[in-house]
Amino acid sequence: MSESGDIFHPPVVVRPPTRGQRPYRRVEIYGRTVGRATGPQDVVELIRHAGVAEPDLDDPALVAWRGGDRTVWEHPAGEE
């Protein structure tokens, strides 16, 4: 069991932003990488392609944001 006691995992995981001049966030659906997103609309399109007509990016039962929420698209400056 995880530290929080929660064993539930949302089907969509958006990983932290990459470093570099063109940062992106890797998107996984059911543990499989399905693409790279440079903004929220990319995440929506990837989820739609997987079969969810109107995905709610703020629904924690659908999407887990790692390394920042849907507003974070650049790697924090100074972190290594």
Side-chain angles (χ1 to χ4, degrees):
M1 199 176 270
S2 68
E3 283 185 28
S4 69
D6 183 11
I7 60 171
F8 173 76
H9 299 284
V12 179
V13 176
V14 181
R15 295 293 175 185
T18 60
R19 293 178 176 89
Q21 290 185 338
R22 293 185 173 175
Y24 63 87
R25 296 178 78 163
R26 193 175 76 236
V27 178
E28 299 173 357
I29 298 180
Y30 290 112
R32 183 173 157 242
T33 300
V34 295
R36 295 177 177 183
T38 58
Q41 190 58 36
D42 292 339
V43 178
V44 167
E45 289 304 316
L46 290 165
I47 296 171
R48 281 184 181 154
H49 185 72
V52 178
E54 294 298 324
D56 178 0
L57 299 183
D58 294 319
D59 180 358
L62 177 64
V63 182
W65 296 90
R66 305 288 186 245
D69 63 17
R70 65 185 289 173
T71 65
V72 177
W73 292 95
E74 293 186 10
H75 194 273
E79 285 190 22
E80 290 299 319

